[in-house]
Amino acid sequence: DFVITLVATFLWLVSTSAWAKALTDIKIATGPNIVRELGPCNQRVTCHFGSVTSMGSLNVSVIFGFLNMILWGGNAWFVYKETSLHSPSNTSASHGQGGVPPPSGI
C-alpha cells in the first residue's frame, strides 16, 4: 500500500506540473503577441488585440492539483506509519501487555 501511495503521489506531482506548464503555454500562445504573428495584420490591415477570456478557473484547477498532491503526500505518511518500517517489531508485544514489564525476582 505504501509504495502504491508513493507512486500515486508522484504521478499527481508530474501530471499537475505538466498541466501547469501547458496552461502557461496556452496563456503565452493566446496573449497580445499573437497579433504580430498573424499574416494579414502585418500587411494593410490594422489589428488590435481585444482581450482573452478569463482563465481563472484553469488557474484554480492547477492549484487544486497541487493541493491534491499534498493530500496524497499526507496520506503516504499515514500509510507509512502503519508499515513495519516505522515501528520496531518488539513494540507490538509490549502493547499487548499494557506496556508494563513483568515483575522480576519471583
Side-chain angles (χ1 to χ4, degrees):
D1 286 343
F2 179 58
V3 173
I4 292 171
T5 305
L6 287 179
V7 169
T9 304
F10 178 73
L11 289 176
W12 270 110
L13 175 65
V14 170
S15 62
T16 303
S17 298
W19 172 233
K21 172 67 172 118
L23 181 59
T24 302
D25 292 344
I26 289 170
K27 288 179 180 180
I28 291 171
T30 58
N33 295 333
I34 195 170
V35 174
R36 286 186 245 141
E37 296 175 7
L38 297 174
C41 292
N42 292 331
Q43 296 170 357
R44 299 177 208 161
V45 179
T46 304
C47 298
H48 298 283
F49 183 77
S51 66
V52 176
T53 59
S54 174
M55 295 191 185
S57 60
L58 298 177
N59 293 332
V60 169
S61 72
V62 171
I63 292 169
F64 276 124
F66 281 115
L67 288 175
N68 199 9
M69 188 269 311
I70 292 170
L71 183 69
W72 275 98
N75 188 26
W77 167 250
F78 288 110
V79 172
Y80 168 72
K81 285 177 61 174
E82 295 295 323
T83 64
S84 61
L85 300 172
H86 182 260
S87 59
S89 60
N90 60 0
T91 59
S92 62
S94 65
H95 287 299
Q97 298 173 356
V100 178
S104 60
I106 294 180

PDB file of all heavy atoms in Angstrom, residues 5 9-11 20 32 41 43 46 48 52 56 59 67-68 72 74-75 81 84-85 87-88 96 104-105:
ATOM      1  N   THR A   5       0.892   4.248  -2.796  1.00  0.00           N
ATOM      2  CA  THR A   5       0.581   5.624  -2.404  1.00  0.00           C
ATOM      3  C   THR A   5       1.682   6.573  -2.845  1.00  0.00           C
ATOM      4  O   THR A   5       1.413   7.687  -3.316  1.00  0.00           O
ATOM      5  CB  THR A   5       0.377   5.708  -0.882  1.00  0.00           C
ATOM      6  OG1 THR A   5      -0.621   4.758  -0.498  1.00  0.00           O
ATOM      7  CG2 THR A   5      -0.066   7.093  -0.466  1.00  0.00           C
ATOM      8  N   THR A   9       1.261   9.637  -5.471  1.00  0.00           N
ATOM      9  CA  THR A   9       1.693  10.993  -5.124  1.00  0.00           C
ATOM     10  C   THR A   9       2.618  11.550  -6.184  1.00  0.00           C
ATOM     11  O   THR A   9       2.483  12.699  -6.621  1.00  0.00           O
ATOM     12  CB  THR A   9       2.405  10.995  -3.757  1.00  0.00           C
ATOM     13  OG1 THR A   9       1.529  10.432  -2.786  1.00  0.00           O
ATOM     14  CG2 THR A   9       2.809  12.392  -3.345  1.00  0.00           C
ATOM     15  N   PHE A  10       3.561  10.742  -6.631  1.00  0.00           N
ATOM     16  CA  PHE A  10       4.490  11.182  -7.678  1.00  0.00           C
ATOM     17  C   PHE A  10       3.757  11.471  -8.982  1.00  0.00           C
ATOM     18  O   PHE A  10       4.044  12.465  -9.658  1.00  0.00           O
ATOM     19  CB  PHE A  10       5.577  10.124  -7.890  1.00  0.00           C
ATOM     20  CG  PHE A  10       6.546  10.476  -8.968  1.00  0.00           C
ATOM     21  CD1 PHE A  10       7.491  11.465  -8.763  1.00  0.00           C
ATOM     22  CD2 PHE A  10       6.506   9.823 -10.190  1.00  0.00           C
ATOM     23  CE1 PHE A  10       8.388  11.804  -9.767  1.00  0.00           C
ATOM     24  CE2 PHE A  10       7.398  10.154 -11.190  1.00  0.00           C
ATOM     25  CZ  PHE A  10       8.344  11.144 -10.992  1.00  0.00           C
ATOM     26  N   LEU A  11       2.796  10.626  -9.329  1.00  0.00           N
ATOM     27  CA  LEU A  11       2.036  10.857 -10.563  1.00  0.00           C
ATOM     28  C   LEU A  11       1.202  12.133 -10.478  1.00  0.00           C
ATOM     29  O   LEU A  11       1.051  12.844 -11.477  1.00  0.00           O
ATOM     30  CB  LEU A  11       1.151   9.649 -10.873  1.00  0.00           C
ATOM     31  CG  LEU A  11       1.898   8.398 -11.329  1.00  0.00           C
ATOM     32  CD1 LEU A  11       0.922   7.243 -11.519  1.00  0.00           C
ATOM     33  CD2 LEU A  11       2.677   8.657 -12.601  1.00  0.00           C
ATOM     34  N   ALA A  20       0.258  22.570 -15.449  1.00  0.00           N
ATOM     35  CA  ALA A  20       0.651  23.962 -15.183  1.00  0.00           C
ATOM     36  C   ALA A  20       1.505  24.504 -16.323  1.00  0.00           C
ATOM     37  O   ALA A  20       1.334  25.653 -16.756  1.00  0.00           O
ATOM     38  CB  ALA A  20       1.400  24.056 -13.858  1.00  0.00           C
ATOM     39  N   PRO A  32      -1.230  38.898 -26.158  1.00  0.00           N
ATOM     40  CA  PRO A  32      -1.202  40.014 -27.098  1.00  0.00           C
ATOM     41  C   PRO A  32      -0.188  39.844 -28.224  1.00  0.00           C
ATOM     42  O   PRO A  32      -0.323  40.463 -29.274  1.00  0.00           O
ATOM     43  CB  PRO A  32      -0.824  41.223 -26.237  1.00  0.00           C
ATOM     44  CG  PRO A  32      -0.923  40.788 -24.835  1.00  0.00           C
ATOM     45  CD  PRO A  32      -0.946  39.325 -24.807  1.00  0.00           C
ATOM     46  N   CYS A  41      -2.394  40.846 -40.466  1.00  0.00           N
ATOM     47  CA  CYS A  41      -2.221  42.005 -39.578  1.00  0.00           C
ATOM     48  C   CYS A  41      -0.909  42.734 -39.845  1.00  0.00           C
ATOM     49  O   CYS A  41      -0.743  43.880 -39.456  1.00  0.00           O
ATOM     50  CB  CYS A  41      -2.271  41.567 -38.119  1.00  0.00           C
ATOM     51  SG  CYS A  41      -3.915  41.004 -37.629  1.00  0.00           S
ATOM     52  N   GLN A  43       0.246  43.327 -42.904  1.00  0.00           N
ATOM     53  CA  GLN A  43       0.221  43.962 -44.217  1.00  0.00           C
ATOM     54  C   GLN A  43      -0.618  45.241 -44.165  1.00  0.00           C
ATOM     55  O   GLN A  43      -0.242  46.198 -43.524  1.00  0.00           O
ATOM     56  CB  GLN A  43      -0.304  42.969 -45.253  1.00  0.00           C
ATOM     57  CG  GLN A  43       0.638  41.772 -45.387  1.00  0.00           C
ATOM     58  CD  GLN A  43       0.050  40.669 -46.217  1.00  0.00           C
ATOM     59  OE1 GLN A  43      -1.079  40.746 -46.668  1.00  0.00           O
ATOM     60  NE2 GLN A  43       0.832  39.625 -46.429  1.00  0.00           N
ATOM     61  N   THR A  46      -5.059  46.803 -40.086  1.00  0.00           N
ATOM     62  CA  THR A  46      -4.645  47.117 -38.722  1.00  0.00           C
ATOM     63  C   THR A  46      -5.421  46.233 -37.769  1.00  0.00           C
ATOM     64  O   THR A  46      -6.652  46.217 -37.776  1.00  0.00           O
ATOM     65  CB  THR A  46      -4.926  48.590 -38.387  1.00  0.00           C
ATOM     66  OG1 THR A  46      -4.271  49.405 -39.357  1.00  0.00           O
ATOM     67  CG2 THR A  46      -4.430  48.929 -37.005  1.00  0.00           C
ATOM     68  N   HIS A  48      -6.084  44.948 -33.745  1.00  0.00           N
ATOM     69  CA  HIS A  48      -5.965  45.332 -32.345  1.00  0.00           C
ATOM     70  C   HIS A  48      -6.314  44.129 -31.483  1.00  0.00           C
ATOM     71  O   HIS A  48      -7.269  43.407 -31.759  1.00  0.00           O
ATOM     72  CB  HIS A  48      -6.904  46.490 -31.997  1.00  0.00           C
ATOM     73  CG  HIS A  48      -6.598  47.734 -32.770  1.00  0.00           C
ATOM     74  ND1 HIS A  48      -5.542  48.549 -32.462  1.00  0.00           N
ATOM     75  CD2 HIS A  48      -7.215  48.294 -33.839  1.00  0.00           C
ATOM     76  CE1 HIS A  48      -5.510  49.565 -33.306  1.00  0.00           C
ATOM     77  NE2 HIS A  48      -6.531  49.421 -34.162  1.00  0.00           N
ATOM     78  N   VAL A  52      -8.587  38.386 -23.799  1.00  0.00           N
ATOM     79  CA  VAL A  52      -8.675  36.930 -23.707  1.00  0.00           C
ATOM     80  C   VAL A  52      -9.671  36.624 -22.599  1.00  0.00           C
ATOM     81  O   VAL A  52      -9.743  37.341 -21.594  1.00  0.00           O
ATOM     82  CB  VAL A  52      -7.292  36.320 -23.366  1.00  0.00           C
ATOM     83  CG1 VAL A  52      -7.381  34.831 -23.171  1.00  0.00           C
ATOM     84  CG2 VAL A  52      -6.298  36.642 -24.453  1.00  0.00           C
ATOM     85  N   GLY A  56      -9.276  32.121 -14.945  1.00  0.00           N
ATOM     86  CA  GLY A  56      -9.252  31.912 -13.505  1.00  0.00           C
ATOM     87  C   GLY A  56      -9.586  30.491 -13.098  1.00  0.00           C
ATOM     88  O   GLY A  56      -8.964  29.932 -12.194  1.00  0.00           O
ATOM     89  N   ASN A  59      -6.591  28.363 -13.625  1.00  0.00           N
ATOM     90  CA  ASN A  59      -5.610  28.565 -12.555  1.00  0.00           C
ATOM     91  C   ASN A  59      -6.017  27.819 -11.291  1.00  0.00           C
ATOM     92  O   ASN A  59      -5.182  27.228 -10.607  1.00  0.00           O
ATOM     93  CB  ASN A  59      -5.445  30.055 -12.249  1.00  0.00           C
ATOM     94  CG  ASN A  59      -4.814  30.811 -13.381  1.00  0.00           C
ATOM     95  OD1 ASN A  59      -4.049  30.263 -14.164  1.00  0.00           O
ATOM     96  ND2 ASN A  59      -5.133  32.088 -13.475  1.00  0.00           N
ATOM     97  N   LEU A  67      -2.733  20.973  -4.440  1.00  0.00           N
ATOM     98  CA  LEU A  67      -3.288  20.660  -3.130  1.00  0.00           C
ATOM     99  C   LEU A  67      -3.621  19.175  -3.003  1.00  0.00           C
ATOM    100  O   LEU A  67      -3.428  18.571  -1.939  1.00  0.00           O
ATOM    101  CB  LEU A  67      -4.534  21.502  -2.861  1.00  0.00           C
ATOM    102  CG  LEU A  67      -4.285  22.986  -2.597  1.00  0.00           C
ATOM    103  CD1 LEU A  67      -5.616  23.727  -2.474  1.00  0.00           C
ATOM    104  CD2 LEU A  67      -3.447  23.185  -1.355  1.00  0.00           C
ATOM    105  N   ASN A  68      -4.098  18.581  -4.073  1.00  0.00           N
ATOM    106  CA  ASN A  68      -4.392  17.156  -4.067  1.00  0.00           C
ATOM    107  C   ASN A  68      -3.106  16.343  -3.925  1.00  0.00           C
ATOM    108  O   ASN A  68      -3.078  15.320  -3.238  1.00  0.00           O
ATOM    109  CB  ASN A  68      -5.143  16.755  -5.331  1.00  0.00           C
ATOM    110  CG  ASN A  68      -5.852  15.437  -5.177  1.00  0.00           C
ATOM    111  OD1 ASN A  68      -5.927  14.880  -4.099  1.00  0.00           O
ATOM    112  ND2 ASN A  68      -6.375  14.934  -6.279  1.00  0.00           N
ATOM    113  N   TRP A  72      -2.222  13.624  -1.032  1.00  0.00           N
ATOM    114  CA  TRP A  72      -1.670  12.285  -1.250  1.00  0.00           C
ATOM    115  C   TRP A  72      -0.384  12.099  -0.461  1.00  0.00           C
ATOM    116  O   TRP A  72      -0.117  11.009   0.059  1.00  0.00           O
ATOM    117  CB  TRP A  72      -1.422  12.035  -2.727  1.00  0.00           C
ATOM    118  CG  TRP A  72      -2.628  11.539  -3.447  1.00  0.00           C
ATOM    119  CD1 TRP A  72      -3.496  12.283  -4.185  1.00  0.00           C
ATOM    120  CD2 TRP A  72      -3.109  10.209  -3.492  1.00  0.00           C
ATOM    121  NE1 TRP A  72      -4.491  11.478  -4.679  1.00  0.00           N
ATOM    122  CE2 TRP A  72      -4.269  10.200  -4.274  1.00  0.00           C
ATOM    123  CE3 TRP A  72      -2.673   9.012  -2.941  1.00  0.00           C
ATOM    124  CZ2 TRP A  72      -4.995   9.052  -4.530  1.00  0.00           C
ATOM    125  CZ3 TRP A  72      -3.390   7.858  -3.195  1.00  0.00           C
ATOM    126  CH2 TRP A  72      -4.545   7.889  -3.975  1.00  0.00           C
ATOM    127  N   GLY A  74       0.363  13.549   2.420  1.00  0.00           N
ATOM    128  CA  GLY A  74      -0.053  13.326   3.803  1.00  0.00           C
ATOM    129  C   GLY A  74      -0.600  11.928   4.010  1.00  0.00           C
ATOM    130  O   GLY A  74      -0.354  11.296   5.044  1.00  0.00           O
ATOM    131  N   ASN A  75      -1.329  11.452   3.032  1.00  0.00           N
ATOM    132  CA  ASN A  75      -1.850  10.094   3.102  1.00  0.00           C
ATOM    133  C   ASN A  75      -0.701   9.088   3.119  1.00  0.00           C
ATOM    134  O   ASN A  75      -0.761   8.080   3.827  1.00  0.00           O
ATOM    135  CB  ASN A  75      -2.784   9.837   1.919  1.00  0.00           C
ATOM    136  CG  ASN A  75      -3.510   8.519   2.025  1.00  0.00           C
ATOM    137  OD1 ASN A  75      -3.725   8.006   3.108  1.00  0.00           O
ATOM    138  ND2 ASN A  75      -3.875   7.970   0.882  1.00  0.00           N
ATOM    139  N   LYS A  81       3.181   5.077   8.501  1.00  0.00           N
ATOM    140  CA  LYS A  81       3.125   4.801   9.933  1.00  0.00           C
ATOM    141  C   LYS A  81       2.520   3.436  10.235  1.00  0.00           C
ATOM    142  O   LYS A  81       2.755   2.873  11.293  1.00  0.00           O
ATOM    143  CB  LYS A  81       2.317   5.890  10.647  1.00  0.00           C
ATOM    144  CG  LYS A  81       3.088   7.185  10.791  1.00  0.00           C
ATOM    145  CD  LYS A  81       2.274   8.270  11.420  1.00  0.00           C
ATOM    146  CE  LYS A  81       1.837   7.902  12.801  1.00  0.00           C
ATOM    147  NZ  LYS A  81       1.157   8.987  13.510  1.00  0.00           N
ATOM    148  N   SER A  84       5.711  -1.835   8.777  1.00  0.00           N
ATOM    149  CA  SER A  84       6.722  -2.305   9.729  1.00  0.00           C
ATOM    150  C   SER A  84       7.987  -1.464   9.646  1.00  0.00           C
ATOM    151  O   SER A  84       8.867  -1.603  10.499  1.00  0.00           O
ATOM    152  CB  SER A  84       7.040  -3.774   9.451  1.00  0.00           C
ATOM    153  OG  SER A  84       7.563  -3.905   8.146  1.00  0.00           O
ATOM    154  N   LEU A  85       8.105  -0.606   8.652  1.00  0.00           N
ATOM    155  CA  LEU A  85       9.272   0.263   8.537  1.00  0.00           C
ATOM    156  C   LEU A  85       9.289   1.331   9.621  1.00  0.00           C
ATOM    157  O   LEU A  85      10.342   1.799  10.033  1.00  0.00           O
ATOM    158  CB  LEU A  85       9.285   0.949   7.169  1.00  0.00           C
ATOM    159  CG  LEU A  85       9.337   0.044   5.951  1.00  0.00           C
ATOM    160  CD1 LEU A  85       9.148   0.860   4.686  1.00  0.00           C
ATOM    161  CD2 LEU A  85      10.644  -0.712   5.917  1.00  0.00           C
ATOM    162  N   SER A  87       7.641   1.245  12.874  1.00  0.00           N
ATOM    163  CA  SER A  87       7.737   0.807  14.273  1.00  0.00           C
ATOM    164  C   SER A  87       8.504  -0.509  14.354  1.00  0.00           C
ATOM    165  O   SER A  87       8.307  -1.392  13.528  1.00  0.00           O
ATOM    166  CB  SER A  87       6.352   0.647  14.870  1.00  0.00           C
ATOM    167  OG  SER A  87       5.615  -0.303  14.137  1.00  0.00           O
ATOM    168  N   PRO A  88       9.367  -0.657  15.354  1.00  0.00           N
ATOM    169  CA  PRO A  88      10.068  -1.932  15.538  1.00  0.00           C
ATOM    170  C   PRO A  88       9.085  -3.052  15.844  1.00  0.00           C
ATOM    171  O   PRO A  88       8.005  -2.823  16.369  1.00  0.00           O
ATOM    172  CB  PRO A  88      10.985  -1.682  16.734  1.00  0.00           C
ATOM    173  CG  PRO A  88      11.038  -0.204  16.906  1.00  0.00           C
ATOM    174  CD  PRO A  88       9.795   0.355  16.302  1.00  0.00           C
ATOM    175  N   GLY A  96       0.506  -5.272  23.712  1.00  0.00           N
ATOM    176  CA  GLY A  96      -0.451  -6.299  24.107  1.00  0.00           C
ATOM    177  C   GLY A  96      -0.444  -6.530  25.603  1.00  0.00           C
ATOM    178  O   GLY A  96      -1.437  -6.929  26.192  1.00  0.00           O
ATOM    179  N   SER A 104      10.247  -8.669  38.398  1.00  0.00           N
ATOM    180  CA  SER A 104      11.395  -9.560  38.446  1.00  0.00           C
ATOM    181  C   SER A 104      11.594 -10.093  39.861  1.00  0.00           C
ATOM    182  O   SER A 104      11.149  -9.500  40.840  1.00  0.00           O
ATOM    183  CB  SER A 104      12.646  -8.822  37.983  1.00  0.00           C
ATOM    184  OG  SER A 104      12.892  -7.726  38.824  1.00  0.00           O
ATOM    185  N   GLY A 105      12.306 -11.217  39.977  1.00  0.00           N
ATOM    186  CA  GLY A 105      12.631 -11.794  41.262  1.00  0.00           C
ATOM    187  C   GLY A 105      11.555 -12.683  41.824  1.00  0.00           C
ATOM    188  O   GLY A 105      11.544 -12.995  43.005  1.00  0.00           O
TER     189      GLY A 105
END
